[in-house]
Amino acid sequence: MKLFMREQSPLMAVYLAQLVMITLVYRLDGGSAVTVSLYAALLSTILLLGYLAYRYLSNRSFYERLMTAPVSLEESGGPVQHTPLAESLRFLLTQQFRLYQNDLHSYRHKLEEHIHFINQWVHGMKTPLSVIHLIIQDKDGPPFTAIGDELDRLKKGLETVLYTARLDTFEHDFYVERLELAAVVRSVTSEQKRLFIRKRVFPAISVDSGIFITSDEKWLSFVLTQLITNALRYTLEEGRFVHFHGTIGEQGRTVLEVRDEGVGIPPGDLPRVFDPYFTGINGRSFQESTGMGLYLVKQICGKLGHEVEITSEVGKGTAVRIIF
């Protein structure tokens, strides 16, 4: 109704001006019968109200539809109303929607091709890395140790690219099962033992064997790998620990805390650590920072139905809690 009144307000203003003008002309011409003027104005007003009522009733659903935001793309075709204005608007919106669908389909196809290429490329790069690793695994000496460390970095970088590309198609690439939390933590820390040894930092696992969670082992392992990588990257002193503590919370939900003894995160950076490509103050001191680790952790945990919380204190370390 408000939209209709706003649209018809110019017509009503012109009508009132015309009515005043005709009355003045009638009076200047010598007419003195006030009742005749009022009667003519009444008849004219009745005709106007009748016209406005007809216009509103015939276009009521049209105006109501314009005032209601669509909840899906299928509802964006305009109101179903057999009036020239409504039919023209619906035709225009339908044509625009078809053009939008065509463009969306084209971009989606390109995105799928790009993701497919990234997946194939990453898998192709893993083969030479594995071959190089086999070549140097029996070799001793600082050069071969450095090569092995660089291979680990390349492997982690490729995995980050792969999981980032798969994030948009997450629903096609996950399998939820019942997992023993302690076994998952030990498996991930064992895979990262070279990194622990290189940094001379030790994992401290305190997870009861009877704690089970429901999650996807592959994606969860990648999340824990990102947390371990961050924890070791920002731990400068040797002989420190990365603590893994699993408990059952007050509401019966399992909580896994990964806590390091590193440099910590400044309070001003803490609210933005889950933003993509955000490195903050620490990123200027540690050149390996990409700003994608915690972003991927947050996104993956959200898709798995887990919650992520983070606390930190400068100089004492950072704690990330995953709530299952």
Side-chain angles (χ1 to χ4, degrees):
M1 187 64 178
K2 293 181 179 179
L3 179 60
F4 173 77
M5 295 301 295
R6 289 202 304 267
E7 183 190 20
Q8 300 298 331
S9 57
L11 175 62
M12 290 185 285
V14 171
Y15 164 76
L16 292 175
Q18 180 182 359
L19 186 61
V20 172
M21 186 180 297
I22 293 176
T23 303
L24 290 176
V25 170
Y26 178 74
R27 297 289 295 173
L28 292 174
D29 193 43
S32 59
V34 178
T35 56
V36 175
S37 299
L38 294 177
Y39 181 68
L42 177 61
L43 292 179
S44 180
T45 303
I46 291 175
L47 290 176
L48 175 64
L49 294 177
Y51 167 77
L52 294 177
Y54 167 76
R55 290 287 297 175
Y56 174 71
L57 292 176
S58 61
N59 293 279
R60 181 172 56 184
S61 60
F62 172 73
Y63 289 108
E64 291 176 352
R65 182 65 185 83
L66 291 179
M67 295 294 292
T68 305
V71 296
S72 65
L73 291 177
E74 287 73 15
E75 296 183 6
S76 60
V80 179
Q81 189 82 23
H82 299 293
T83 58
L85 180 60
E87 291 180 352
S88 298
L89 178 60
R90 184 173 182 80
F91 176 77
L92 175 62
L93 293 178
T94 301
Q95 294 300 112
Q96 289 180 337
F97 179 66
R98 288 177 180 174
L99 293 175
Y100 169 77
Q101 281 185 316
N102 292 336
D103 288 343
L104 184 62
H105 178 74
S106 176
Y107 284 117
R108 185 175 297 169
H109 181 68
K110 292 179 181 179
L111 178 61
E112 291 175 353
E113 288 184 343
H114 177 71
I115 293 176
H116 179 71
F117 168 76
I118 292 295
N119 292 338
Q120 295 298 109
W121 179 80
V122 170
H123 286 297
M125 292 299 101
K126 284 185 175 181
T127 300
L129 290 180
S130 300
V131 173
I132 296 173
H133 182 72
L134 289 174
I135 293 174
I136 68 170
Q137 67 178 355
D138 295 330
K139 308 293 184 180
D140 294 327
F144 297 103
T145 302
I147 292 174
D149 293 340
E150 297 303 321
L151 286 176
D152 288 340
R153 291 182 181 179
L154 283 173
K155 183 180 179 181
K156 287 185 175 64
L158 290 175
E159 287 181 350
T160 300
V161 172
L162 181 62
Y163 279 90
T164 303
R166 289 179 175 176
L167 198 59
D168 291 331
T169 58
F170 179 87
E171 61 276 6
H172 302 301
D173 187 34
F174 78 103
Y175 176 71
V176 176
E177 56 185 332
R178 193 167 183 260
L179 304 170
E180 185 179 10
L181 183 58
V184 175
V185 173
R186 290 192 177 94
S187 175
V188 176
T189 53
S190 177
E191 291 178 358
Q192 305 304 317
K193 62 182 179 181
R194 285 178 58 89
L195 186 58
F196 278 103
I197 294 173
R198 186 178 73 207
K199 298 287 291 187
R200 291 181 173 83
V201 177
F202 308 98
I205 301 174
S206 176
V207 182
D208 296 336
S209 59
I211 297 179
F212 289 86
I213 59 172
T214 301
S215 186
D216 181 281
E217 184 175 7
K218 180 180 67 175
W219 286 96
L220 181 59
S221 297
F222 176 76
V223 167
L224 294 180
T225 300
Q226 293 298 313
L227 296 180
I228 292 173
T229 301
N230 278 356
L232 296 178
R233 177 182 299 150
Y234 299 115
T235 300
L236 301 180
E237 299 180 9
E238 297 180 358
R240 296 291 185 173
F241 290 88
V242 177
H243 303 269
F244 300 86
H245 185 57
T247 58
I248 302 296
E250 296 179 355
Q251 299 179 352
R253 302 180 66 181
T254 301
V255 179
L256 174 63
E257 182 181 76
V258 181
R259 180 172 56 86
D260 62 57
E261 299 176 355
V263 298
I265 302 173
D269 290 347
L270 202 58
R272 301 179 58 191
V273 293
F274 292 118
D275 295 344
Y277 307 109
F278 178 75
T279 57
I281 296 176
N282 289 337
R284 297 178 176 88
S285 303
F286 300 85
Q287 298 302 319
E288 296 181 3
S289 301
T290 63
M292 289 297 292
L294 288 178
Y295 166 75
L296 291 174
V297 168
K298 182 72 171 181
Q299 294 297 312
I300 293 172
C301 286
K303 291 180 179 295
L304 290 172
H306 310 328
E307 298 178 12
V308 181
E309 297 177 352
I310 185 169
T311 56
S312 184
E313 188 174 351
V314 176
K316 292 188 177 181
T318 301
V320 180
R321 284 175 292 276
I322 302 176
I323 305 172
F324 299 92

